[in-house]
């Protein structure tokens, strides 16, 4: 699949998978089908989005939340989102497991930053959601804090944000 479809080569993704670079849009369905035949496609194949994720609690002692678990939780939302739609094509999503912001989420269109909040005697994992960031050679804008949501509600928050981007 990489030799046939990836015009700009193959590289490791931030999720430690493989990324086929430069697949023409007209050939994306065939590339996905070929990967699916080899059982290498993900449920979210066809995303026209950049998702950047830090190492999270799996590898970072400073992480508060599991950014990889959030990616897994967001996958069904992203799979149903049809990122080929013009309103959300090219969207950038960043996920960091703590405020250190290794995924540079504040420069993403939508960013999730792991934090905790004390509720009674327990600490609950939350995500701060930032929107409206952009990064480029000439124009850099940090996203604005939109809300804090319990980690378990992050997929629904993304679903609602995508609906707003479509409007």
């Amino acid at each position: 699949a990489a030799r046939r479809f990836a015009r700009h080569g193959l590289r490791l993704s931030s999720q430690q998978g493989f990324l086929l670079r430069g697949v023409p849009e007209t050939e994306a369905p065939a590339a996905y089908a070929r990967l699916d035949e080899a059982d290498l496609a993900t449920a979210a194949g066809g995303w026209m989005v950049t998702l950047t994720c830090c190492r999270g609690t799996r590898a970072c002692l400073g992480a508060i939340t599991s950014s990889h678990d959030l990616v897994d939780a967001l996958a069904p939302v992203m799979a149903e989102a049809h990122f080929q739609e013009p309103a959300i094509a090219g969207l950038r999503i960043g996920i960091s497991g703590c405020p250190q912001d290794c995924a540079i989420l504040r420069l993403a269109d939508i960013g999730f930053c792991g934090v905790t909040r004390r509720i009674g005697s327990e600490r609950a994992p939350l995500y701060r959601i930032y929107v409206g960031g952009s990064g480029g050679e000439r124009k850099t804008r940090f996203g604005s804090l939109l809300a804090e949501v319990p980690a378990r509600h992050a997929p629904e928050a993304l679903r609602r944000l995508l609906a707003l981007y479509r409007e």
Side-chain angles (χ1 to χ4, degrees):
R3 278 187 272 253
R4 178 166 174 215
F5 298 107
R7 304 291 188 263
H8 302 295
L10 178 74
R11 73 172 182 89
L12 286 174
S13 73
S14 60
Q15 293 298 303
Q16 298 187 17
F18 289 101
L19 176 67
L20 301 178
R21 297 181 63 219
V23 176
E25 192 171 337
T26 57
E27 295 183 25
Y32 181 76
R34 174 73 62 88
L35 292 169
D36 195 38
E37 287 171 13
D39 209 21
L40 294 172
T42 66
W47 292 353
M48 300 296 281
V49 64
T50 300
L51 189 139
T52 305
C53 176
C54 75
R55 310 281 288 149
T57 55
R58 293 182 182 175
C60 177
L61 295 176
I64 297 169
T65 59
S66 175
S67 49
H68 291 266
D69 287 349
L70 181 58
V71 170
D72 292 343
L74 297 180
V77 175
M78 295 178 77
E80 71 192 28
H82 306 292
F83 281 97
Q84 294 83 359
E85 296 174 27
I88 58 176
L91 201 67
R92 291 170 303 117
I93 299 173
I95 300 172
S96 284
C98 75
Q100 294 289 343
D101 196 11
C102 294
I104 314 172
L105 63 94
R106 288 173 183 88
L107 295 181
D109 296 297
I110 300 172
F112 292 87
C113 178
V115 296
T116 61
R117 185 77 62 224
R118 186 172 300 282
I119 299 174
S121 63
E122 301 292 319
R123 291 192 98 33
L126 304 171
Y127 281 97
R128 288 183 180 153
I129 301 175
Y130 293 85
V131 295
S134 66
E137 289 182 24
R138 299 182 189 265
K139 184 179 179 185
T140 299
R141 180 180 65 237
F142 288 111
S144 300
L145 178 62
L146 176 70
E148 278 188 0
V149 298
R152 69 180 181 274
H153 294 305
E156 182 58 27
L158 178 62
R159 186 175 284 113
R160 291 180 184 195
L161 280 170
L162 293 175
L164 289 172
Y165 270 89
R166 285 188 185 100
E167 294 176 5

Tab-separated table of all heavy atoms in Angstrom, residues 90-136:
chain	number	residue	atom	x	y	z
A	90	GLY	N	-9.100	19.055	7.355
A	90	GLY	CA	-7.859	19.696	7.757
A	90	GLY	C	-7.827	20.159	9.204
A	90	GLY	O	-6.873	20.806	9.625
A	91	LEU	N	-8.840	19.808	9.964
A	91	LEU	CA	-8.898	20.197	11.374
A	91	LEU	C	-7.698	19.628	12.126
A	91	LEU	O	-7.259	18.516	11.863
A	91	LEU	CB	-10.188	19.648	11.974
A	91	LEU	CG	-10.712	20.293	13.236
A	91	LEU	CD1	-11.144	21.718	12.942
A	91	LEU	CD2	-11.902	19.512	13.753
A	92	ARG	N	-7.166	20.389	13.070
A	92	ARG	CA	-6.042	19.935	13.889
A	92	ARG	C	-6.518	19.784	15.321
A	92	ARG	O	-7.065	20.726	15.897
A	92	ARG	CB	-4.879	20.923	13.799
A	92	ARG	CG	-4.228	20.927	12.426
A	92	ARG	CD	-3.247	22.054	12.214
A	92	ARG	NE	-3.911	23.327	12.425
A	92	ARG	CZ	-3.568	24.183	13.396
A	92	ARG	NH1	-2.585	23.939	14.205
A	92	ARG	NH2	-4.228	25.319	13.538
A	93	ILE	N	-6.286	18.602	15.900
A	93	ILE	CA	-6.690	18.306	17.266
A	93	ILE	C	-5.434	17.920	18.041
A	93	ILE	O	-4.654	17.090	17.590
A	93	ILE	CB	-7.719	17.165	17.322
A	93	ILE	CG1	-8.985	17.563	16.549
A	93	ILE	CG2	-8.057	16.794	18.761
A	93	ILE	CD1	-9.996	16.454	16.403
A	94	GLY	N	-5.246	18.532	19.210
A	94	GLY	CA	-4.100	18.222	20.056
A	94	GLY	C	-4.562	17.691	21.399
A	94	GLY	O	-5.554	18.157	21.948
A	95	ILE	N	-3.823	16.709	21.914
A	95	ILE	CA	-4.170	16.101	23.202
A	95	ILE	C	-2.904	15.985	24.039
A	95	ILE	O	-1.925	15.366	23.621
A	95	ILE	CB	-4.780	14.703	23.018
A	95	ILE	CG1	-6.059	14.787	22.179
A	95	ILE	CG2	-5.053	14.055	24.370
A	95	ILE	CD1	-6.610	13.429	21.784
A	96	SER	N	-2.925	16.601	25.221
A	96	SER	CA	-1.814	16.471	26.168
A	96	SER	C	-2.362	15.980	27.497
A	96	SER	O	-3.435	16.395	27.924
A	96	SER	CB	-1.110	17.814	26.384
A	96	SER	OG	-0.291	18.129	25.286
A	97	GLY	N	-1.624	15.109	28.134
A	97	GLY	CA	-2.052	14.525	29.398
A	97	GLY	C	-1.824	15.409	30.610
A	97	GLY	O	-2.174	15.048	31.726
A	98	CYS	N	-1.237	16.601	30.394
A	98	CYS	CA	-1.010	17.533	31.501
A	98	CYS	C	-0.778	18.927	30.929
A	98	CYS	O	-0.634	19.083	29.715
A	98	CYS	CB	0.197	17.091	32.337
A	98	CYS	SG	1.792	17.410	31.548
A	99	PRO	N	-0.704	19.942	31.775
A	99	PRO	CA	-0.492	21.305	31.285
A	99	PRO	C	0.894	21.579	30.671
A	99	PRO	O	1.114	22.665	30.147
A	99	PRO	CB	-0.708	22.170	32.536
A	99	PRO	CG	-1.609	21.359	33.398
A	99	PRO	CD	-1.163	19.933	33.175
A	100	GLN	N	1.812	20.617	30.710
A	100	GLN	CA	3.109	20.815	30.054
A	100	GLN	C	2.940	21.000	28.552
A	100	GLN	O	3.793	21.562	27.886
A	100	GLN	CB	4.052	19.634	30.327
A	100	GLN	CG	4.462	19.498	31.764
A	100	GLN	CD	5.413	20.605	32.188
A	100	GLN	OE1	6.017	21.301	31.373
A	100	GLN	NE2	5.540	20.780	33.488
A	101	ASP	N	1.850	20.483	28.010
A	101	ASP	CA	1.462	20.716	26.619
A	101	ASP	C	2.468	20.186	25.601
A	101	ASP	O	2.817	20.869	24.642
A	101	ASP	CB	1.190	22.205	26.406
A	101	ASP	CG	0.428	22.478	25.123
A	101	ASP	OD1	-0.078	21.517	24.506
A	101	ASP	OD2	0.338	23.645	24.732
A	102	CYS	N	2.910	18.960	25.777
A	102	CYS	CA	3.859	18.378	24.826
A	102	CYS	C	3.271	18.239	23.422
A	102	CYS	O	4.013	18.217	22.444
A	102	CYS	CB	4.339	17.016	25.324
A	102	CYS	SG	5.315	17.137	26.834
A	103	ALA	N	1.966	18.157	23.303
A	103	ALA	CA	1.321	18.031	21.992
A	103	ALA	C	1.029	19.391	21.361
A	103	ALA	O	0.444	19.465	20.290
A	103	ALA	CB	0.038	17.228	22.114
A	104	ILE	N	1.425	20.452	22.032
A	104	ILE	CA	1.219	21.819	21.546
A	104	ILE	C	-0.251	22.040	21.187
A	104	ILE	O	-0.601	22.571	20.149
A	104	ILE	CB	2.158	22.143	20.362
A	104	ILE	CG1	3.583	21.675	20.670
A	104	ILE	CG2	2.166	23.635	20.079
A	104	ILE	CD1	4.517	21.769	19.490
A	105	LEU	N	-1.128	21.615	22.086
A	105	LEU	CA	-2.566	21.660	21.840
A	105	LEU	C	-3.119	23.066	21.714
A	105	LEU	O	-4.147	23.280	21.090
A	105	LEU	CB	-3.324	20.901	22.930
A	105	LEU	CG	-3.213	21.454	24.352
A	105	LEU	CD1	-4.354	22.379	24.682
A	105	LEU	CD2	-3.139	20.317	25.323
A	106	ARG	N	-2.457	24.041	22.300
A	106	ARG	CA	-2.978	25.410	22.233
A	106	ARG	C	-2.814	26.037	20.851
A	106	ARG	O	-3.339	27.101	20.583
A	106	ARG	CB	-2.327	26.271	23.309
A	106	ARG	CG	-2.833	25.898	24.696
A	106	ARG	CD	-2.072	26.638	25.795
A	106	ARG	NE	-2.498	26.223	27.111
A	106	ARG	CZ	-1.991	25.199	27.794
A	106	ARG	NH1	-1.039	24.475	27.269
A	106	ARG	NH2	-2.430	24.903	28.996
A	107	LEU	N	-2.074	25.367	19.960
A	107	LEU	CA	-1.957	25.834	18.580
A	107	LEU	C	-2.859	25.022	17.644
A	107	LEU	O	-2.825	25.216	16.432
A	107	LEU	CB	-0.506	25.752	18.094
A	107	LEU	CG	0.486	26.657	18.819
A	107	LEU	CD1	1.876	26.505	18.218
A	107	LEU	CD2	0.045	28.104	18.796
A	108	ALA	N	-3.659	24.143	18.205
A	108	ALA	CA	-4.576	23.320	17.405
A	108	ALA	C	-5.947	23.994	17.310
A	108	ALA	O	-6.279	24.870	18.106
A	108	ALA	CB	-4.720	21.941	18.050
A	109	ASP	N	-6.732	23.557	16.350
A	109	ASP	CA	-8.104	24.047	16.243
A	109	ASP	C	-8.896	23.669	17.489
A	109	ASP	O	-9.684	24.454	18.004
A	109	ASP	CB	-8.783	23.458	15.005
A	109	ASP	CG	-8.099	23.910	13.724
A	109	ASP	OD1	-8.093	25.119	13.452
A	109	ASP	OD2	-7.557	23.040	13.009
A	110	ILE	N	-8.679	22.433	17.947
A	110	ILE	CA	-9.315	21.940	19.172
A	110	ILE	C	-8.227	21.261	19.994
A	110	ILE	O	-7.492	20.420	19.477
A	110	ILE	CB	-10.433	20.929	18.872
A	110	ILE	CG1	-11.530	21.567	18.009
A	110	ILE	CG2	-11.035	20.377	20.169
A	110	ILE	CD1	-12.576	20.584	17.512
A	111	GLY	N	-8.115	21.614	21.255
A	111	GLY	CA	-7.095	21.017	22.114
A	111	GLY	C	-7.687	20.507	23.404
A	111	GLY	O	-8.585	21.127	23.978
A	112	PHE	N	-7.194	19.362	23.857
A	112	PHE	CA	-7.609	18.756	25.125
A	112	PHE	C	-6.393	18.694	26.038
A	112	PHE	O	-5.377	18.108	25.669
A	112	PHE	CB	-8.137	17.337	24.905
A	112	PHE	CG	-9.430	17.265	24.150
A	112	PHE	CD1	-9.446	17.237	22.771
A	112	PHE	CD2	-10.633	17.218	24.835
A	112	PHE	CE1	-10.644	17.159	22.070
A	112	PHE	CE2	-11.841	17.146	24.149
A	112	PHE	CZ	-11.844	17.127	22.761
A	113	CYS	N	-6.495	19.292	27.228
A	113	CYS	CA	-5.390	19.338	28.184
A	113	CYS	C	-5.819	18.650	29.474
A	113	CYS	O	-6.760	19.092	30.142
A	113	CYS	CB	-5.013	20.791	28.459
A	113	CYS	SG	-3.706	20.968	29.680
A	114	GLY	N	-5.140	17.583	29.854
A	114	GLY	CA	-5.490	16.828	31.048
A	114	GLY	C	-5.176	17.568	32.336
A	114	GLY	O	-4.078	18.086	32.513
A	115	VAL	N	-6.142	17.635	33.222
A	115	VAL	CA	-6.005	18.240	34.546
A	115	VAL	C	-6.828	17.402	35.521
A	115	VAL	O	-7.540	16.489	35.119
A	115	VAL	CB	-6.485	19.721	34.587
A	115	VAL	CG1	-5.615	20.598	33.706
A	115	VAL	CG2	-7.935	19.841	34.204
A	116	THR	N	-6.719	17.708	36.801
A	116	THR	CA	-7.585	17.063	37.785
A	116	THR	C	-8.263	18.135	38.628
A	116	THR	O	-7.795	19.267	38.708
A	116	THR	CB	-6.819	16.116	38.736
A	116	THR	OG1	-5.864	16.873	39.459
A	116	THR	CG2	-6.168	14.979	37.990
A	117	ARG	N	-9.332	17.742	39.233
A	117	ARG	CA	-10.066	18.630	40.130
A	117	ARG	C	-10.477	17.793	41.330
A	117	ARG	O	-10.927	16.658	41.183
A	117	ARG	CB	-11.291	19.184	39.398
A	117	ARG	CG	-12.094	20.201	40.128
A	117	ARG	CD	-11.502	21.587	40.156
A	117	ARG	NE	-11.357	22.173	38.836
A	117	ARG	CZ	-10.270	22.834	38.437
A	117	ARG	NH1	-9.257	23.000	39.243
A	117	ARG	NH2	-10.192	23.347	37.241
A	118	ARG	N	-10.322	18.372	42.513
A	118	ARG	CA	-10.721	17.668	43.737
A	118	ARG	C	-12.244	17.753	43.884
A	118	ARG	O	-12.832	18.826	43.823
A	118	ARG	CB	-10.050	18.266	44.961
A	118	ARG	CG	-10.318	17.460	46.237
A	118	ARG	CD	-9.504	17.940	47.414
A	118	ARG	NE	-8.061	17.854	47.206
A	118	ARG	CZ	-7.354	16.732	47.305
A	118	ARG	NH1	-7.949	15.606	47.585
A	118	ARG	NH2	-6.052	16.742	47.127
A	119	ILE	N	-12.843	16.611	44.022
A	119	ILE	CA	-14.283	16.526	44.280
A	119	ILE	C	-14.426	15.731	45.571
A	119	ILE	O	-14.224	14.519	45.594
A	119	ILE	CB	-15.032	15.845	43.117
A	119	ILE	CG1	-14.837	16.667	41.834
A	119	ILE	CG2	-16.511	15.694	43.443
A	119	ILE	CD1	-15.400	16.048	40.592
A	120	GLY	N	-14.726	16.439	46.641
A	120	GLY	CA	-14.728	15.797	47.957
A	120	GLY	C	-13.312	15.413	48.312
A	120	GLY	O	-12.395	16.239	48.261
A	121	SER	N	-13.099	14.152	48.630
A	121	SER	CA	-11.760	13.686	48.977
A	121	SER	C	-11.059	13.019	47.790
A	121	SER	O	-9.921	12.593	47.906
A	121	SER	CB	-11.848	12.703	50.148
A	121	SER	OG	-12.600	11.571	49.763
A	122	GLU	N	-11.722	12.941	46.663
A	122	GLU	CA	-11.161	12.280	45.471
A	122	GLU	C	-10.733	13.306	44.421
A	122	GLU	O	-11.244	14.409	44.383
A	122	GLU	CB	-12.218	11.349	44.855
A	122	GLU	CG	-12.720	10.271	45.782
A	122	GLU	CD	-11.661	9.242	46.100
A	122	GLU	OE1	-10.906	8.856	45.176
A	122	GLU	OE2	-11.581	8.825	47.268
A	123	ARG	N	-9.801	12.887	43.578
A	123	ARG	CA	-9.406	13.717	42.447
A	123	ARG	C	-10.016	13.114	41.194
A	123	ARG	O	-9.935	11.914	40.963
A	123	ARG	CB	-7.897	13.778	42.333
A	123	ARG	CG	-7.300	14.582	43.506
A	123	ARG	CD	-5.875	14.946	43.341
A	123	ARG	NE	-5.356	16.174	42.883
A	123	ARG	CZ	-5.820	17.408	43.035
A	123	ARG	NH1	-6.972	17.610	43.569
A	123	ARG	NH2	-5.160	18.454	42.595
A	124	ALA	N	-10.639	13.960	40.401
A	124	ALA	CA	-11.296	13.501	39.175
A	124	ALA	C	-10.528	14.017	37.953
A	124	ALA	O	-10.138	15.182	37.914
A	124	ALA	CB	-12.733	14.007	39.145
A	125	PRO	N	-10.323	13.148	36.949
A	125	PRO	CA	-9.645	13.598	35.728
A	125	PRO	C	-10.589	14.432	34.862
A	125	PRO	O	-11.745	14.085	34.655
A	125	PRO	CB	-9.275	12.291	35.031
A	125	PRO	CG	-10.280	11.304	35.515
A	125	PRO	CD	-10.638	11.720	36.915
A	126	LEU	N	-10.060	15.552	34.374
A	126	LEU	CA	-10.825	16.448	33.507
A	126	LEU	C	-9.971	16.792	32.292
A	126	LEU	O	-8.757	16.589	32.302
A	126	LEU	CB	-11.139	17.764	34.234
A	126	LEU	CG	-11.859	17.725	35.559
A	126	LEU	CD1	-11.866	19.110	36.194
A	126	LEU	CD2	-13.286	17.242	35.368
A	127	TYR	N	-10.610	17.338	31.295
A	127	TYR	CA	-9.889	17.915	30.167
A	127	TYR	C	-10.325	19.352	29.998
A	127	TYR	O	-11.514	19.652	29.968
A	127	TYR	CB	-10.135	17.139	28.864
A	127	TYR	CG	-9.310	15.889	28.802
A	127	TYR	CD1	-9.843	14.665	29.167
A	127	TYR	CD2	-7.969	15.941	28.418
A	127	TYR	CE1	-9.069	13.519	29.138
A	127	TYR	CE2	-7.193	14.801	28.391
A	127	TYR	CZ	-7.750	13.597	28.747
A	127	TYR	OH	-6.980	12.479	28.727
A	128	ARG	N	-9.345	20.245	29.918
A	128	ARG	CA	-9.608	21.621	29.519
A	128	ARG	C	-9.646	21.609	27.998
A	128	ARG	O	-8.758	21.052	27.351
A	128	ARG	CB	-8.496	22.554	29.982
A	128	ARG	CG	-8.513	22.779	31.458
A	128	ARG	CD	-7.437	23.776	31.863
A	128	ARG	NE	-7.495	23.953	33.307
A	128	ARG	CZ	-6.464	24.294	34.053
A	128	ARG	NH1	-5.280	24.519	33.497
A	128	ARG	NH2	-6.610	24.423	35.352
A	129	ILE	N	-10.661	22.228	27.448
A	129	ILE	CA	-10.805	22.249	25.994
A	129	ILE	C	-10.496	23.651	25.489
A	129	ILE	O	-11.090	24.628	25.942
A	129	ILE	CB	-12.216	21.815	25.569
A	129	ILE	CG1	-12.496	20.399	26.075
A	129	ILE	CG2	-12.366	21.900	24.051
A	129	ILE	CD1	-13.892	19.910	25.808
A	130	TYR	N	-9.533	23.718	24.585
A	130	TYR	CA	-9.135	24.973	23.952
A	130	TYR	C	-9.597	24.949	22.502
A	130	TYR	O	-9.568	23.897	21.850
A	130	TYR	CB	-7.608	25.134	23.993
A	130	TYR	CG	-7.067	25.328	25.379
A	130	TYR	CD1	-6.781	24.250	26.206
A	130	TYR	CD2	-6.846	26.605	25.877
A	130	TYR	CE1	-6.300	24.425	27.485
A	130	TYR	CE2	-6.352	26.800	27.159
A	130	TYR	CZ	-6.087	25.698	27.961
A	130	TYR	OH	-5.607	25.888	29.233
A	131	VAL	N	-10.007	26.084	21.997
A	131	VAL	CA	-10.441	26.177	20.602
A	131	VAL	C	-9.837	27.404	19.934
A	131	VAL	O	-9.503	28.389	20.597
A	131	VAL	CB	-11.988	26.242	20.478
A	131	VAL	CG1	-12.629	24.950	20.962
A	131	VAL	CG2	-12.556	27.428	21.228
A	132	GLY	N	-9.682	27.308	18.618
A	132	GLY	CA	-9.278	28.471	17.846
A	132	GLY	C	-7.803	28.727	17.720
A	132	GLY	O	-7.407	29.795	17.266
A	133	GLY	N	-6.967	27.763	18.066
A	133	GLY	CA	-5.531	27.970	17.918
A	133	GLY	C	-5.094	27.815	16.475
A	133	GLY	O	-5.774	27.197	15.665
A	134	SER	N	-3.971	28.391	16.155
A	134	SER	CA	-3.393	28.201	14.821
A	134	SER	C	-1.897	28.437	14.928
A	134	SER	O	-1.431	29.223	15.743
A	134	SER	CB	-4.013	29.148	13.798
A	134	SER	OG	-3.685	30.482	14.090
A	135	GLY	N	-1.173	27.738	14.102
A	135	GLY	CA	0.273	27.908	14.097
A	135	GLY	C	0.772	27.931	12.675
A	135	GLY	O	0.307	27.173	11.838
A	136	GLY	N	1.670	28.791	12.408
A	136	GLY	CA	2.227	28.890	11.069
A	136	GLY	C	3.446	29.769	11.098
A	136	GLY	O	3.805	30.332	12.133
